[in-house]
Amino acid sequence: MREPARELFRDAAFPASDSSLFSSFSTPLAQFREEITWRRPQEICATPRLFADNPQEGQVKQGLLGDCWFLCACAALQKSQHLRDQVFPPGQPSWLERTYRGSFTCRVWQFGHWVEVTIDDRLPCLAGRLCFSRCQREDVFWLPLLEKVYAKVHGSYEHLWAGQVADALVDLTGGLAERWNLKDLARTSGHQDRPVATECRTCRQLLGLKDRCLLSCSVLSPRTGSGALGSFHAFIVSDLRELRGRAGQSILLLRIQNPWGRRCWQGPWREGGEGWSQVDAADRSELLSQLQEGEFWVEEEEFLREFDEVTIGYPVTEAGHLQSLYSGKALCHTQALPGAWVKGQSAGGCRNNSGFPSNPKFWLRVSEPSEVYVALLQRRGADGVARVRAPVGGPTSFPGKDYQAVGLHVWKVEKRRVSLPRALSAPPVAGTVCHAYDREVHLRCELAPGYYLAVPSTFLKDVPGRFLLRVFSSGRVSLSAIKPAAQSPAHREAPPAGEWETVRLRGSWRVGRTAGGSRNFASYPTNPCFPLSVPEGTGPRCVRITLRQHCQDSKCHPIGFHVFQVPADGGGLGAPSLLLQEPLLSCVPHCYTQEVSRLCHLSAGTYRIVPSTYLPDTEGAFTVTVETRIDRRSIHSQEMLGQLLQEASFMAVMKKT
């Protein structure tokens, strides 16, 4: 008796259609719109595999999509079993197993959290073959599946056209990545957060790092005669070898892998080139035999002349800790806190602005002599202006890649009760060289025990944005936000006079159930959702909504809320769908305070109030208080000698299961 056909998963959130391929039809990908079909791996080859036994068979190759920056970062998974298992959770059924259902789950690090992303395994094809990324052996599918996961995170495949290798490395490792400008090393000499003083020394450092971390290099604008390397294109540095030449000289060679999968280098160290006459025949034969499709050797001087940048992903130990690029120490101690620049409040701009002291500030306490990395990661901007410094893999401007110019400075202070103006007027112990249009900037410091003040800033004043401040340290550290001075009750917005009806709604945020975090996270619709009904009247009603968390003042979570209006004809519109719409009004940014409040005017209708913490899975209890002004004349009573009779308040307790 034949086994009934298994129904395979189809991802409705990222369907096999144009909506998953394109965002604006603004790239060369659009010309293939009518020709792309979707196939599962078993429809592409006879015996698909997730991973190859031989790492060379799993090497990355780029297709029609301009995402070389992402593919180069993917090669990091081949250097670390720990990273591979982190991104591809083990135990997922493959195509030949009875439990296979056509879906795969990967993890991607997003703004402080590992997020699980599930896709179906229908992949874009042209003429029956994969049209985007593929592995060296086309029956190995870890790379195109991961590319689809990353496209889903970004909204479409087309959104992967152009980006930074460093950003993708952080998303795949949860760690740090550095970019070294090969043309500016002399100018950056002497800064402790940069490698050293000469170009020669830089390549020697890469020699020591090659087996521990991913190395990538980029061409931003090719030199005359070397246009075959392309422009805004990223490569993988797959090996470095130091040889002794026939004349006794030291020769450093770098093996470069082009994701395009074709040999494009015609320099002296190409196969048959004159460079090989400088070394023994045995060395020449060994190194040339190692070349795979798309790989070539270059000598150190050529490398520094023809390439513009090197990107290095920090090593990750099997225990999951970052390792310093410079000392090799494990950075076992980590801290992270979110923050925001708010126009008119905490967006003070750079140190050239008098408003700089109003920027968000953080205490960093170092308990023992430590090598410390402080990193500032910003979320994408919302003004629609692309501001990426030299993206590789495509055009220099692309939707969704816009970042502000940001910087980070750290001051040593003697004690926590410090004079802020005096402290910030002194030179910092560490600071970024400039404000950079990068998604993340970071500092490396050797810090003695004590208190430090960390201040992240945008270059321009009153530029809003959100960020995550991360600390990695070889010794014990703690990080805490400095809360702005709380407003006294006298500064609270006073309600108009009259009678008020009060409703108090109690709730809680619970890990894995109702702690969905802010609207930046896909889990936001799981937050508690409370109904609010505004009755008909002579006009909009005055309503004050207050969210108060039940906690000690020193242990407040950042809180806020949004109010969504239920459409008049919104029959059947559930809370998850409603919460994907734009809110009618908001009380944000999320603040480290016990209570936030908003006074507003609402027309008659039905609404939903959604209180949230900034980060998901943050537990806590809260009360939402809704005060609605009664739309009628006040009631007076002779018995009370003309004093106002307040309507009785009542309490409604809503439980969310």
Side-chain angles (χ1 to χ4, degrees):
M1 188 175 186
R2 294 182 60 185
E3 180 182 350
R6 293 171 291 184
E7 183 176 351
L8 299 181
F9 174 63
R10 290 173 173 263
D11 185 4
F14 198 67
S17 66
D18 282 358
S19 65
S20 299
L21 290 171
F22 305 103
S23 58
S24 60
F25 298 94
S26 59
T27 69
L29 188 61
Q31 64 185 296
F32 301 101
R33 179 180 181 179
E34 302 299 328
E35 304 172 53
I36 292 177
T37 60
W38 298 78
R39 298 191 179 192
R40 298 187 188 267
Q42 65 270 36
E43 298 169 336
I44 299 173
C45 66
T47 55
R49 300 176 289 165
L50 190 58
F51 295 103
D53 297 328
N54 182 351
Q56 291 180 342
E57 294 179 350
Q59 282 188 345
V60 305
K61 292 184 66 176
Q62 185 179 355
L64 297 176
L65 193 60
D67 63 346
C68 57
W69 59 283
F70 170 67
L71 303 183
C72 287
C74 288
L77 304 188
Q78 296 181 296
K79 287 182 172 287
S80 168
Q81 184 67 41
H82 169 81
L83 283 180
R84 197 174 88 174
D85 290 345
Q86 178 71 64
V87 173
F88 280 90
Q92 301 189 64
S94 63
W95 295 273
L96 300 181
E97 297 180 36
R98 293 174 59 88
T99 52
Y100 163 73
R101 289 294 180 267
S103 66
F104 287 86
T105 297
C106 293
R107 298 190 192 104
V108 181
W109 190 90
Q110 293 285 281
F111 205 64
H113 294 271
W114 285 99
V115 178
E116 285 199 345
V117 182
T118 299
I119 56 166
D120 64 38
D121 59 357
R122 295 177 294 176
L123 299 170
C125 295
L126 275 176
R129 296 182 63 192
L130 292 168
C131 61
F132 298 152
S133 73
R134 62 178 70 91
C135 292
Q136 196 78 21
R137 279 285 300 265
E138 294 191 29
D139 60 348
V140 177
F141 284 91
W142 72 269
L143 184 64
L145 289 172
L146 183 55
E147 182 183 50
K148 183 174 183 178
V149 164
Y150 209 58
K152 182 176 179 178
V153 169
H154 284 73
S156 71
Y157 277 94
E158 194 173 45
H159 267 133
L160 301 187
W161 200 293
Q164 289 290 351
V165 178
D167 295 346
L169 273 171
V170 172
D171 289 343
L172 295 179
T173 67
L176 294 174
E178 277 195 18
R179 286 162 52 194
W180 295 356
N181 190 320
L182 297 177
K183 302 297 181 282
D184 292 341
L185 287 177
R187 182 162 56 84
T188 59
S189 173
H191 290 288
Q192 63 174 340
D193 61 323
R194 284 285 183 268
V196 285
T198 65
E199 293 178 344
C200 178
R201 171 63 174 158
T202 299
C203 285
R204 294 293 186 261
Q205 283 188 311
L206 297 181
L207 184 63
L209 295 170
K210 65 171 185 174
D211 296 324
R212 296 195 291 140
C213 50
L214 188 281
L215 306 177
S216 173
C217 54
S218 301
V219 174
L220 304 183
S221 53
R223 259 53 61 195
T224 303
S226 60
L229 290 178
S231 59
F232 299 106
H233 189 45
F235 301 77
I236 299 166
V237 181
S238 51
D239 196 11
L240 291 92
R241 292 289 295 271
E242 189 169 22
L243 304 177
R244 185 65 58 185
R246 292 180 182 272
Q249 78 278 27
S250 175
I251 300 175
L252 183 64
L253 296 179
L254 299 92
R255 192 170 83 208
I256 310 298
Q257 179 190 344
N258 185 354
W260 284 337
R262 61 177 184 266
R263 296 184 183 180
C264 57
W265 184 243
Q266 297 301 314
W269 295 88
R270 68 187 185 279
E271 190 169 359
E274 62 273 19
W276 297 106
S277 62
Q278 303 177 42
V279 301
D280 292 337
D283 289 333
R284 178 180 70 244
S285 177
E286 177 194 356
L287 296 187
L288 287 175
S289 68
Q290 294 176 5
L291 293 178
Q292 301 294 314
E293 184 181 5
E295 290 187 326
F296 55 94
W297 290 97
V298 296
E299 190 264 334
E300 177 184 8
E301 184 180 348
E302 295 175 276
F303 177 75
L304 295 171
R305 182 177 66 247
E306 301 298 338
F307 292 89
D308 296 285
E309 284 189 342
V310 169
T311 301
I312 307 166
Y314 275 51
V316 180
T317 68
E318 292 304 309
H321 301 307
L322 289 192
Q323 256 186 314
S324 168
L325 289 183
Y326 304 96
S327 68
K329 294 179 182 177
L331 307 175
C332 301
H333 302 270
T334 63
Q335 297 278 312
L337 283 176
W341 296 289
V342 181
K343 184 177 181 180
Q345 297 181 36
S346 60
C350 68
R351 296 176 69 202
N352 296 328
N353 295 290
S354 59
F356 179 79
S358 67
N359 279 303
K361 293 169 284 294
F362 296 82
W363 288 121
L364 173 63
R365 184 179 184 181
V366 180
S367 300
E368 55 191 319
S370 304
E371 182 179 3
V372 180
Y373 291 78
V374 186
L376 172 63
L377 173 70
Q378 61 172 318
R379 291 191 71 87
R380 288 174 183 157
D383 60 3
V385 181
R387 297 189 181 90
V388 177
R389 187 183 121 200
V392 293
T396 57
S397 175
F398 199 78
K401 306 289 190 194
D402 45 316
Y403 300 111
Q404 300 297 335
V406 294
L408 177 63
H409 294 83
V410 175
W411 281 266
K412 177 75 167 66
V413 293
E414 294 302 322
K415 55 184 178 180
R416 294 189 72 160
R417 293 189 177 275
V418 63
S419 169
L420 192 61
R422 187 183 304 117
L424 297 183
S425 64
V429 297
T432 49
V433 177
C434 64
H435 283 65
Y437 288 111
D438 291 332
R439 190 178 78 165
E440 185 168 46
V441 298
H442 72 264
L443 301 170
R444 174 184 176 267
C445 323
E446 295 282 351
L447 298 182
Y451 282 103
Y452 296 83
L453 187 66
V455 183
S457 61
T458 56
F459 181 72
L460 296 176
K461 186 179 178 181
D462 284 335
V463 173
R466 296 185 180 276
F467 62 84
L468 182 70
L469 193 68
R470 300 194 288 162
V471 176
F472 302 86
S473 175
S474 61
R476 289 175 293 119
V477 294
S478 63
L479 182 69
S480 59
I482 299 177
K483 293 185 292 184
Q487 283 190 338
S488 66
H491 288 90
R492 187 178 179 187
E493 190 174 3
E499 295 182 69
W500 291 76
E501 180 182 78
T502 302
V503 178
R504 292 186 176 87
L505 307 166
R506 290 178 178 169
S508 61
W509 297 292
R510 294 286 178 256
V511 171
R513 297 173 60 192
T514 59
S518 67
R519 294 180 69 231
N520 297 317
F521 299 96
S523 56
Y524 176 75
T526 64
N527 279 301
C529 185
F530 299 106
L532 168 62
S533 180
V534 177
E536 293 285 345
T538 57
R541 294 292 185 92
C542 186
V543 179
R544 181 162 64 189
I545 303 170
T546 303
L547 170 63
R548 182 177 181 83
Q549 59 178 317
H550 306 160
C551 65
Q552 297 177 3
D553 188 59
S554 60
K555 297 183 179 179
C556 290
H557 301 305
I559 58 171
F561 63 83
H562 297 281
V563 177
F564 298 82
Q565 184 168 19
V566 179
D569 58 346
L573 185 62
S577 299
L578 176 67
L579 269 53
L580 294 176
Q581 313 302 316
E582 283 296 314
L584 177 70
L585 61 92
S586 304
C587 186
V588 292
H590 290 68
C591 298
Y592 284 93
T593 182
Q594 277 199 314
E595 185 178 289
V596 294
S597 182
R598 176 77 189 269
L599 187 68
C600 56
H601 289 80
L602 298 178
S603 300
T606 304
Y607 302 85
R608 295 290 184 270
I609 304 170
V610 183
S612 63
T613 56
Y614 182 73
L615 292 176
D617 290 338
T618 303
E619 289 211 338
F622 61 84
T623 298
V624 174
T625 302
V626 181
E627 300 168 272
T628 306
R629 191 173 187 273
I630 299 171
D631 190 17
R632 67 167 182 260
R633 297 180 60 185
S634 301
I635 302 173
H636 290 75
S637 168
Q638 292 181 352
E639 287 80 2
M640 297 300 293
L641 301 178
Q643 294 182 16
L644 200 64
L645 284 178
Q646 295 287 341
E647 286 199 354
S649 299
F650 66 95
M651 180 177 292
V653 179
M654 177 170 291
K655 297 180 179 179
K656 190 171 181 69
T657 58

PDB file of all heavy atoms in Angstrom, residues 254-272:
ATOM      1  N   LEU A 254      48.402  36.002  -0.778  1.00  0.00           N
ATOM      2  CA  LEU A 254      47.021  35.873  -0.301  1.00  0.00           C
ATOM      3  C   LEU A 254      46.192  35.189  -1.378  1.00  0.00           C
ATOM      4  O   LEU A 254      46.254  35.565  -2.564  1.00  0.00           O
ATOM      5  CB  LEU A 254      46.417  37.248   0.017  1.00  0.00           C
ATOM      6  CG  LEU A 254      47.110  38.067   1.114  1.00  0.00           C
ATOM      7  CD1 LEU A 254      48.171  39.003   0.495  1.00  0.00           C
ATOM      8  CD2 LEU A 254      46.086  38.902   1.887  1.00  0.00           C
ATOM      9  N   ARG A 255      45.440  34.178  -0.968  1.00  0.00           N
ATOM     10  CA  ARG A 255      44.544  33.494  -1.905  1.00  0.00           C
ATOM     11  C   ARG A 255      43.165  34.136  -1.803  1.00  0.00           C
ATOM     12  O   ARG A 255      42.568  34.192  -0.728  1.00  0.00           O
ATOM     13  CB  ARG A 255      44.464  32.005  -1.575  1.00  0.00           C
ATOM     14  CG  ARG A 255      43.794  31.193  -2.687  1.00  0.00           C
ATOM     15  CD  ARG A 255      43.954  29.710  -2.451  1.00  0.00           C
ATOM     16  NE  ARG A 255      42.957  29.195  -1.531  1.00  0.00           N
ATOM     17  CZ  ARG A 255      43.134  28.135  -0.743  1.00  0.00           C
ATOM     18  NH1 ARG A 255      44.299  27.510  -0.726  1.00  0.00           N
ATOM     19  NH2 ARG A 255      42.163  27.727   0.051  1.00  0.00           N
ATOM     20  N   ILE A 256      42.678  34.636  -2.921  1.00  0.00           N
ATOM     21  CA  ILE A 256      41.422  35.382  -2.965  1.00  0.00           C
ATOM     22  C   ILE A 256      40.376  34.552  -3.692  1.00  0.00           C
ATOM     23  O   ILE A 256      40.641  34.002  -4.766  1.00  0.00           O
ATOM     24  CB  ILE A 256      41.613  36.738  -3.682  1.00  0.00           C
ATOM     25  CG1 ILE A 256      42.807  37.505  -3.111  1.00  0.00           C
ATOM     26  CG2 ILE A 256      40.341  37.563  -3.604  1.00  0.00           C
ATOM     27  CD1 ILE A 256      42.682  37.874  -1.666  1.00  0.00           C
ATOM     28  N   GLN A 257      39.193  34.472  -3.119  1.00  0.00           N
ATOM     29  CA  GLN A 257      38.072  33.773  -3.751  1.00  0.00           C
ATOM     30  C   GLN A 257      37.042  34.785  -4.212  1.00  0.00           C
ATOM     31  O   GLN A 257      36.553  35.600  -3.435  1.00  0.00           O
ATOM     32  CB  GLN A 257      37.422  32.795  -2.765  1.00  0.00           C
ATOM     33  CG  GLN A 257      36.229  32.054  -3.358  1.00  0.00           C
ATOM     34  CD  GLN A 257      35.453  31.274  -2.304  1.00  0.00           C
ATOM     35  OE1 GLN A 257      35.953  31.042  -1.201  1.00  0.00           O
ATOM     36  NE2 GLN A 257      34.243  30.873  -2.630  1.00  0.00           N
ATOM     37  N   ASN A 258      36.714  34.729  -5.489  1.00  0.00           N
ATOM     38  CA  ASN A 258      35.705  35.619  -6.070  1.00  0.00           C
ATOM     39  C   ASN A 258      34.356  34.910  -6.043  1.00  0.00           C
ATOM     40  O   ASN A 258      34.202  33.850  -6.657  1.00  0.00           O
ATOM     41  CB  ASN A 258      36.093  35.953  -7.514  1.00  0.00           C
ATOM     42  CG  ASN A 258      35.159  36.968  -8.143  1.00  0.00           C
ATOM     43  OD1 ASN A 258      34.149  37.361  -7.555  1.00  0.00           O
ATOM     44  ND2 ASN A 258      35.484  37.399  -9.355  1.00  0.00           N
ATOM     45  N   PRO A 259      33.350  35.468  -5.333  1.00  0.00           N
ATOM     46  CA  PRO A 259      32.034  34.809  -5.306  1.00  0.00           C
ATOM     47  C   PRO A 259      31.407  34.644  -6.691  1.00  0.00           C
ATOM     48  O   PRO A 259      30.500  33.826  -6.851  1.00  0.00           O
ATOM     49  CB  PRO A 259      31.188  35.736  -4.426  1.00  0.00           C
ATOM     50  CG  PRO A 259      32.162  36.479  -3.592  1.00  0.00           C
ATOM     51  CD  PRO A 259      33.379  36.653  -4.455  1.00  0.00           C
ATOM     52  N   TRP A 260      31.878  35.425  -7.671  1.00  0.00           N
ATOM     53  CA  TRP A 260      31.370  35.228  -9.025  1.00  0.00           C
ATOM     54  C   TRP A 260      31.704  33.837  -9.557  1.00  0.00           C
ATOM     55  O   TRP A 260      31.091  33.359 -10.496  1.00  0.00           O
ATOM     56  CB  TRP A 260      31.961  36.277  -9.979  1.00  0.00           C
ATOM     57  CG  TRP A 260      31.354  37.622  -9.836  1.00  0.00           C
ATOM     58  CD1 TRP A 260      30.132  37.930  -9.324  1.00  0.00           C
ATOM     59  CD2 TRP A 260      31.945  38.863 -10.229  1.00  0.00           C
ATOM     60  NE1 TRP A 260      29.918  39.280  -9.362  1.00  0.00           N
ATOM     61  CE2 TRP A 260      31.018  39.885  -9.914  1.00  0.00           C
ATOM     62  CE3 TRP A 260      33.149  39.217 -10.804  1.00  0.00           C
ATOM     63  CZ2 TRP A 260      31.277  41.222 -10.165  1.00  0.00           C
ATOM     64  CZ3 TRP A 260      33.411  40.547 -11.058  1.00  0.00           C
ATOM     65  CH2 TRP A 260      32.484  41.547 -10.737  1.00  0.00           C
ATOM     66  N   GLY A 261      32.729  33.216  -8.972  1.00  0.00           N
ATOM     67  CA  GLY A 261      33.075  31.857  -9.369  1.00  0.00           C
ATOM     68  C   GLY A 261      33.869  31.767 -10.649  1.00  0.00           C
ATOM     69  O   GLY A 261      33.882  30.724 -11.307  1.00  0.00           O
ATOM     70  N   ARG A 262      34.551  32.839 -11.012  1.00  0.00           N
ATOM     71  CA  ARG A 262      35.413  32.756 -12.200  1.00  0.00           C
ATOM     72  C   ARG A 262      36.720  33.477 -11.918  1.00  0.00           C
ATOM     73  O   ARG A 262      36.785  34.403 -11.116  1.00  0.00           O
ATOM     74  CB  ARG A 262      34.725  33.383 -13.414  1.00  0.00           C
ATOM     75  CG  ARG A 262      34.384  34.856 -13.269  1.00  0.00           C
ATOM     76  CD  ARG A 262      33.780  35.398 -14.562  1.00  0.00           C
ATOM     77  NE  ARG A 262      33.536  36.826 -14.497  1.00  0.00           N
ATOM     78  CZ  ARG A 262      32.378  37.374 -14.148  1.00  0.00           C
ATOM     79  NH1 ARG A 262      31.367  36.583 -13.809  1.00  0.00           N
ATOM     80  NH2 ARG A 262      32.226  38.679 -14.136  1.00  0.00           N
ATOM     81  N   ARG A 263      37.764  33.015 -12.533  1.00  0.00           N
ATOM     82  CA  ARG A 263      39.063  33.645 -12.342  1.00  0.00           C
ATOM     83  C   ARG A 263      39.100  34.969 -13.107  1.00  0.00           C
ATOM     84  O   ARG A 263      38.754  35.035 -14.275  1.00  0.00           O
ATOM     85  CB  ARG A 263      40.180  32.718 -12.813  1.00  0.00           C
ATOM     86  CG  ARG A 263      40.249  31.438 -11.982  1.00  0.00           C
ATOM     87  CD  ARG A 263      41.407  30.555 -12.356  1.00  0.00           C
ATOM     88  NE  ARG A 263      41.381  29.316 -11.574  1.00  0.00           N
ATOM     89  CZ  ARG A 263      42.279  28.356 -11.683  1.00  0.00           C
ATOM     90  NH1 ARG A 263      43.270  28.471 -12.552  1.00  0.00           N
ATOM     91  NH2 ARG A 263      42.187  27.265 -10.942  1.00  0.00           N
ATOM     92  N   CYS A 264      39.512  35.997 -12.404  1.00  0.00           N
ATOM     93  CA  CYS A 264      39.430  37.321 -13.022  1.00  0.00           C
ATOM     94  C   CYS A 264      40.735  38.087 -12.848  1.00  0.00           C
ATOM     95  O   CYS A 264      40.783  39.275 -13.150  1.00  0.00           O
ATOM     96  CB  CYS A 264      38.281  38.112 -12.393  1.00  0.00           C
ATOM     97  SG  CYS A 264      38.428  38.283 -10.600  1.00  0.00           S
ATOM     98  N   TRP A 265      41.786  37.424 -12.379  1.00  0.00           N
ATOM     99  CA  TRP A 265      43.022  38.138 -12.059  1.00  0.00           C
ATOM    100  C   TRP A 265      44.099  37.795 -13.074  1.00  0.00           C
ATOM    101  O   TRP A 265      44.376  36.625 -13.337  1.00  0.00           O
ATOM    102  CB  TRP A 265      43.483  37.775 -10.644  1.00  0.00           C
ATOM    103  CG  TRP A 265      44.697  38.548 -10.195  1.00  0.00           C
ATOM    104  CD1 TRP A 265      45.927  38.052  -9.881  1.00  0.00           C
ATOM    105  CD2 TRP A 265      44.795  39.956 -10.033  1.00  0.00           C
ATOM    106  NE1 TRP A 265      46.785  39.055  -9.519  1.00  0.00           N
ATOM    107  CE2 TRP A 265      46.110  40.245  -9.611  1.00  0.00           C
ATOM    108  CE3 TRP A 265      43.907  41.021 -10.212  1.00  0.00           C
ATOM    109  CZ2 TRP A 265      46.553  41.534  -9.355  1.00  0.00           C
ATOM    110  CZ3 TRP A 265      44.349  42.298  -9.958  1.00  0.00           C
ATOM    111  CH2 TRP A 265      45.649  42.551  -9.524  1.00  0.00           C
ATOM    112  N   GLN A 266      44.710  38.815 -13.626  1.00  0.00           N
ATOM    113  CA  GLN A 266      45.753  38.628 -14.620  1.00  0.00           C
ATOM    114  C   GLN A 266      47.093  39.182 -14.132  1.00  0.00           C
ATOM    115  O   GLN A 266      47.924  39.606 -14.928  1.00  0.00           O
ATOM    116  CB  GLN A 266      45.352  39.325 -15.938  1.00  0.00           C
ATOM    117  CG  GLN A 266      44.105  38.744 -16.574  1.00  0.00           C
ATOM    118  CD  GLN A 266      44.271  37.270 -16.894  1.00  0.00           C
ATOM    119  OE1 GLN A 266      45.298  36.848 -17.448  1.00  0.00           O
ATOM    120  NE2 GLN A 266      43.277  36.470 -16.536  1.00  0.00           N
ATOM    121  N   GLY A 267      47.289  39.200 -12.814  1.00  0.00           N
ATOM    122  CA  GLY A 267      48.518  39.715 -12.236  1.00  0.00           C
ATOM    123  C   GLY A 267      49.674  38.732 -12.363  1.00  0.00           C
ATOM    124  O   GLY A 267      49.531  37.627 -12.905  1.00  0.00           O
ATOM    125  N   PRO A 268      50.832  39.091 -11.849  1.00  0.00           N
ATOM    126  CA  PRO A 268      52.050  38.256 -12.006  1.00  0.00           C
ATOM    127  C   PRO A 268      51.948  36.917 -11.295  1.00  0.00           C
ATOM    128  O   PRO A 268      52.759  36.016 -11.596  1.00  0.00           O
ATOM    129  CB  PRO A 268      53.150  39.138 -11.408  1.00  0.00           C
ATOM    130  CG  PRO A 268      52.461  40.145 -10.555  1.00  0.00           C
ATOM    131  CD  PRO A 268      51.132  40.364 -11.178  1.00  0.00           C
ATOM    132  N   TRP A 269      50.982  36.734 -10.378  1.00  0.00           N
ATOM    133  CA  TRP A 269      50.882  35.458  -9.672  1.00  0.00           C
ATOM    134  C   TRP A 269      49.720  34.612 -10.182  1.00  0.00           C
ATOM    135  O   TRP A 269      49.265  33.679  -9.512  1.00  0.00           O
ATOM    136  CB  TRP A 269      50.762  35.690  -8.161  1.00  0.00           C
ATOM    137  CG  TRP A 269      52.013  36.312  -7.599  1.00  0.00           C
ATOM    138  CD1 TRP A 269      52.305  37.633  -7.508  1.00  0.00           C
ATOM    139  CD2 TRP A 269      53.159  35.616  -7.119  1.00  0.00           C
ATOM    140  NE1 TRP A 269      53.553  37.830  -6.978  1.00  0.00           N
ATOM    141  CE2 TRP A 269      54.110  36.599  -6.724  1.00  0.00           C
ATOM    142  CE3 TRP A 269      53.504  34.271  -6.966  1.00  0.00           C
ATOM    143  CZ2 TRP A 269      55.356  36.280  -6.199  1.00  0.00           C
ATOM    144  CZ3 TRP A 269      54.746  33.943  -6.447  1.00  0.00           C
ATOM    145  CH2 TRP A 269      55.658  34.942  -6.071  1.00  0.00           C
ATOM    146  N   ARG A 270      49.242  34.930 -11.398  1.00  0.00           N
ATOM    147  CA  ARG A 270      48.262  34.064 -12.045  1.00  0.00           C
ATOM    148  C   ARG A 270      48.974  32.779 -12.482  1.00  0.00           C
ATOM    149  O   ARG A 270      50.209  32.691 -12.461  1.00  0.00           O
ATOM    150  CB  ARG A 270      47.657  34.760 -13.252  1.00  0.00           C
ATOM    151  CG  ARG A 270      48.655  34.972 -14.392  1.00  0.00           C
ATOM    152  CD  ARG A 270      48.085  35.805 -15.512  1.00  0.00           C
ATOM    153  NE  ARG A 270      49.012  35.909 -16.634  1.00  0.00           N
ATOM    154  CZ  ARG A 270      50.038  36.738 -16.693  1.00  0.00           C
ATOM    155  NH1 ARG A 270      50.293  37.558 -15.670  1.00  0.00           N
ATOM    156  NH2 ARG A 270      50.817  36.779 -17.754  1.00  0.00           N
ATOM    157  N   GLU A 271      48.204  31.799 -12.854  1.00  0.00           N
ATOM    158  CA  GLU A 271      48.814  30.555 -13.332  1.00  0.00           C
ATOM    159  C   GLU A 271      49.623  30.845 -14.604  1.00  0.00           C
ATOM    160  O   GLU A 271      49.098  31.396 -15.575  1.00  0.00           O
ATOM    161  CB  GLU A 271      47.726  29.516 -13.629  1.00  0.00           C
ATOM    162  CG  GLU A 271      48.286  28.136 -13.889  1.00  0.00           C
ATOM    163  CD  GLU A 271      47.197  27.069 -13.905  1.00  0.00           C
ATOM    164  OE1 GLU A 271      46.017  27.427 -13.687  1.00  0.00           O
ATOM    165  OE2 GLU A 271      47.541  25.904 -14.108  1.00  0.00           O
ATOM    166  N   GLY A 272      50.927  30.547 -14.541  1.00  0.00           N
ATOM    167  CA  GLY A 272      51.814  30.855 -15.657  1.00  0.00           C
ATOM    168  C   GLY A 272      52.424  32.237 -15.579  1.00  0.00           C
ATOM    169  O   GLY A 272      53.205  32.628 -16.451  1.00  0.00           O
TER     170      GLY A 272
END
